[in-house]
C-alpha cells in the first residue's frame, strides 16, 4: 500500500503517545501522575453545558451555515473585538469544529508548494504538520528561554525573505506559556509588511494570562488587520475541548474561501455545540476569571517547586497552563528523561523535543490539574531527579 507524499512526514502528537504509555502502565496497576495532557481539568461550565443539553432537547440538531450560525458570529465579532480593542464584522468570523481544522484551512487557502512558512520552535506540532501537508517549506524560528520564550529576533531576521508566505505566532504559547511582548510584535509586523507575508496568530490562550497582563494582538498594530488571521476557540477558555468549537477572524474575502473549504469538508460545526458556544460568549464570564486565578496559584506553586529541584531551571510563564523547565543539567535527552520519569517515578511529562528540535533539553508539564496532584508529582520528580544529580559527578 502506498500513500501520498503529502502525508508521508506526519507524526503522532507527543501528548497522545505519552498518554497511551501512561494509560498502559495504569492498566497494569501503576499509579501515574498526569502532567502530559493540555486540557483544563475543570468540567465545562454549568451554564454552557445546560445550554447544550437544552439545545439537543429542543431539536437544535440540524445543519447550520458552513461557517457558523449568524448569532454566534455576531457574538464572537463583538466579544473578540472588545477583548482586543478592535472592531470586527460577522462576515470576518469563521466557526469550525475546533481551532485545529481552522489552522489547516487557511493554510490550504494561502500556502502554495515551495512557499516558506515561519513558525515557533518549540511549538504546537500541528503547525509543522499543516505546512508539510500543503507542500510548504517549514522554517522554524527558535524561541529564547532568556526572553521568556519569545522569538529569537536575530534568527527571525535572518530567516524571513521574499519567499516567506506566512508567519505563525502563538502567544501565550504552547508548550512554553511564553508571551510575545509588544516590542517584538512590532518588529515582526514591520517585517511581515516589508515581505508581504500573512500572519497567523494563534491566540487560543489569550484569556489565560496572569498577573493582570494584557495580551496584545498583532492584528491591532498599524496595517496588520488585512494580513492577519486570528485563531481562537472555546476549548481552553471554557473547558470545552471535547465539544469541538473554534473560530477564526480574518479579512472577509479570505473568510469566503474558507467557507467553501468548510462546505466541502466538515459541512458545519455541530448545531447544539454552537448554541452552547453562544451561551459561553454571551453568558457570565466570572467562571473564566475564577479558573484563571486558580491556574495562577498552580503556576506559582509548580514553578517554585520545580526550581527547588537541583538541576532544574524553570521560567515563570505569563500565560496558558504549561511550564517548560530546562533540564539540560541532567545530561540526557528530554525523551530519555521523560521516559525515566514515567517508568521510575510514575510521572507523565512530555519531552520538549516533541515540540521541535529547539525544544530539546526541556520538559513540558501541564498544570491543568489539582494542587494535590501537582504537589505529589513534584515530590516524585524531586526524588527521581535528585538521585540522578547525585549520581552524575561520579559517572
Ligand atoms: N492551538 C494551540 C496552541 C493549542 O495548544 C491547541 C490545543 O492544544 C489548539 C490550537 C487546538 O485547540 P482546539 O481544541 O480548539 O482544536
Amino acid at each position: 500500500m502506498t500513500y501520498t507524499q503529502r502525508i508521508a512526514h506526519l507524526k503522532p502528537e507527543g501528548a497522545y503517545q505519552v498518554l497511551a504509555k501512561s494509560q498502559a502502565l495504569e492498566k497494569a496497576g501503576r499509579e501515574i501522575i498526569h502532567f502530559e495532557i493540555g486540557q483544563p481539568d475543570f468540567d465545562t461550565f454549568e451554564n454552557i453545558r445546560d445550554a447544550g443539553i437544552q439545545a439537543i432537547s429542543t431539536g437544535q440538531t440540524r445543519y447550520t451555515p458552513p461557517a457558523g450560525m449568524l448569532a454566534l458570529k455576531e457574538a464572537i465579532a463583538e466579544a473578540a473585538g472588545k477583548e482586543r480593542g478592535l472592531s470586527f464584522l460577522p462576515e470576518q468570523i469563521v466557526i469550525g469544529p475546533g481551532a485545529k481544522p481552522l489552522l489547516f484551512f487557511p493554510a490550504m487557502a494561502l500556502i502554495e508548494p515551495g512557499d516558506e512558512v515561519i513558525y515557533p520552535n518549540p511549538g504546537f506540532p500541528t503547525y509543522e504538520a499543516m505546512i508539510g501537508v500543503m507542500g510548504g517549506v517549514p522554517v522554524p524560528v527558535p524561541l529564547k528561554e532568556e526572553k521568556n520564550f519569545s522569538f529569537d529576533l536575530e534568527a527571525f531576521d535572518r530567516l524571513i525573505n521574499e519567499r516567506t508566505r506566512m508567519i505563525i505566532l502563538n502567544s501565550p504559547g504552547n508548550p512554553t506559556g511564553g508571551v510575545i511582548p509588544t516590542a517584538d510584535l512590532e518588529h515582526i509586523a514591520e517585517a511581515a509588511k516589508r515581505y508581504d507575508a500573512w500572519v497567523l496568530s494563534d491566540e487560543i490562550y489569550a484569556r489565560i494570562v496572569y498577573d493582570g497582563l494584557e495580551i496584545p494582538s498583532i492584528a491591532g498594530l498599524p496595517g496588520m488587520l488585512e494580513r492577519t488571521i486570528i485563531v481562537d476557540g472555546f476549548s481552553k477558555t471554557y473547558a470545552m475541548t471535547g465539544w469541538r468549537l473554534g473560530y477564526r477572524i480574518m479579512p472577509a474575502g479570505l473568510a469566503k474561501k474558507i467557507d467553501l473549504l468548510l462546505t466541502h469538508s466538515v459541512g458545519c460545526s455541530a448545531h447544539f455545540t454552537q448554541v452552547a458556544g453562544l451561551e459561553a460568549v454571551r453568558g457570565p464570564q466570572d467562571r473564566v476569571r475564577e479558573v484563571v486565578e486558580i491556574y495562577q496559584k498552580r503556576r506559582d506553586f509548580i514553578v517554585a517547586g520545580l526550581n527547588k529541584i537541583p538541576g532544574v531551571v524553570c521560567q515563570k510563564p505569563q500565560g496558558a497552563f504549561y511550564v517548560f523547565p530546562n533540564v539540560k543539567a541532567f545530561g540526557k535527552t528530554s525523551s530519555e528523561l521523560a521516559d525515566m520519569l514515567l517508568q521510575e517515578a510514575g510521572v507523565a511529562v512530555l519531552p520538549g523535543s516533541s515540540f521541535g528540535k529547539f525544544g530539546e533539553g526541556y520538559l513540558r508539564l501541564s498544570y491543568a490539574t489539582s494542587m494535590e496532584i501537582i504537589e505529589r508529582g513534584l515530590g516524585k520528580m524531586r526524588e527521581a531527579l535528585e538521585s540522578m544529580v547525585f549520581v552524575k559527578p561520579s559517572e
Side-chain angles (χ1 to χ4, degrees):
M1 186 76 81
T2 57
Y3 302 101
T4 61
Q5 208 38 42
R6 206 175 298 127
I7 64 160
H9 57 93
L10 289 179
K11 293 188 287 244
E13 228 184 272
Y16 292 114
Q17 283 179 307
V18 174
L19 183 64
K21 269 196 224 171
S22 57
Q23 283 173 338
L25 288 172
E26 276 172 331
K27 229 173 164 184
R30 287 280 305 277
E31 191 214 355
I32 304 293
I33 304 270
H34 294 277
F35 288 135
E36 77 275 43
I37 312 164
Q39 68 177 337
D41 54 320
F42 301 100
D43 286 334
T44 303
F45 309 155
E46 222 172 306
N47 60 319
I48 302 172
R49 188 198 60 194
D50 291 349
I53 294 170
Q54 170 84 357
I56 294 173
S57 318
T58 54
Q60 299 186 71
T61 51
R62 311 211 173 255
Y63 291 136
T64 72
M69 289 162 49
L70 181 60
L72 182 56
K73 292 207 272 186
E74 285 170 347
I76 291 171
E78 194 184 317
K82 209 158 140 200
E83 275 159 33
R84 294 168 176 85
L86 294 168
S87 148
F88 301 123
L89 297 169
E91 52 267 37
Q92 290 177 267
I93 313 293
V94 173
I95 292 156
K100 270 189 177 178
L102 294 177
L103 288 165
F104 249 86
F105 289 134
M108 204 178 271
L110 295 172
I111 301 170
E112 293 283 10
D115 282 346
E116 295 187 7
V117 181
I118 285 181
Y119 66 104
N121 187 312
F124 186 47
T126 294
Y127 306 143
E128 199 174 293
M130 75 193 198
I131 298 165
V133 170
M134 306 315 152
V137 180
V139 181
V141 172
L143 302 185
K144 271 186 131 167
E145 181 182 358
E146 60 276 24
K147 280 184 68 188
N148 222 337
F149 296 107
S150 185
F151 264 4
D152 177 341
L153 287 179
E154 280 170 25
F156 172 78
D157 286 344
R158 273 197 310 277
L159 292 167
I160 191 162
N161 64 68
E162 32 298 302
R163 289 184 303 281
T164 306
R165 176 70 168 154
M166 186 184 272
I167 302 162
I168 302 177
L169 304 178
N170 176 212
S171 174
N174 178 7
T176 67
V179 166
I180 308 177
T182 306
D184 286 14
L185 287 180
E186 283 166 352
H187 183 106
I188 295 164
E190 282 315 307
K193 285 187 277 185
R194 197 173 331 124
Y195 290 102
D196 194 21
W198 283 89
V199 171
L200 194 160
S201 180
D202 184 344
E203 300 179 8
I204 195 143
Y205 297 102
R207 301 270 303 273
I208 306 179
V209 285
Y210 308 123
D211 311 316
L213 197 75
E214 301 257 316
I215 295 287
S217 173
I218 195 164
L221 297 179
M224 288 308 290
L225 211 47
E226 68 254 32
R227 59 176 70 250
T228 303
I229 304 154
I230 297 174
V231 180
D232 204 335
F234 293 75
S235 289
K236 317 287 176 175
T237 309
Y238 299 106
M240 289 178 75
T241 46
W243 293 74
R244 309 311 301 134
L245 194 62
Y247 59 89
R248 274 181 166 270
I249 310 169
M250 64 188 94
L254 177 60
K256 274 194 191 146
K257 297 289 177 200
I258 307 299
D259 188 330
L260 294 175
L261 286 168
L262 286 164
T263 304
H264 297 296
S265 53
V266 296
C268 67
S269 306
H271 190 173
F272 47 87
T273 291
Q274 293 185 61
V275 176
L278 187 57
E279 170 61 24
V281 181
R282 290 269 192 231
Q285 301 296 306
D286 27 325
R287 186 83 180 113
V288 177
R289 285 186 284 273
E290 256 170 54
V291 163
V292 170
E293 271 172 34
I294 296 172
Y295 287 144
Q296 183 169 321
K297 287 195 186 115
R298 294 172 179 175
R299 176 204 61 170
D300 293 344
F301 186 73
I302 199 165
V303 169
L306 285 166
N307 279 319
K308 277 190 203 134
I309 303 175
V312 177
V313 178
C314 186
Q315 303 294 324
K316 197 181 220 181
Q318 294 166 297
F321 36 61
Y322 308 111
V323 278
F324 204 60
N326 179 328
V327 287
K328 292 178 185 168
F330 296 96
K332 294 208 178 294
T333 67
S334 58
S335 196
E336 285 166 348
L337 209 56
D339 250 357
M340 186 282 275
L341 285 170
L342 181 61
Q343 301 297 341
E344 290 177 25
V347 178
V349 300
L350 297 186
S353 55
S354 61
F355 297 92
K357 63 179 175 183
F358 299 117
E360 184 52 88
Y362 300 86
L363 299 174
R364 190 196 82 170
L365 284 75
S366 160
Y367 52 88
T369 188
S370 74
M371 213 56 143
E372 297 72 47
I373 292 180
I374 295 173
E375 192 167 11
R376 290 239 312 284
L378 283 174
K380 284 171 181 257
M381 279 180 76
R382 190 185 171 100
E383 237 171 73
L385 293 174
E386 260 178 0
S387 60
M388 277 184 64
V389 173
F390 295 135
V391 176
K392 215 178 144 209
S394 58
E395 270 173 355

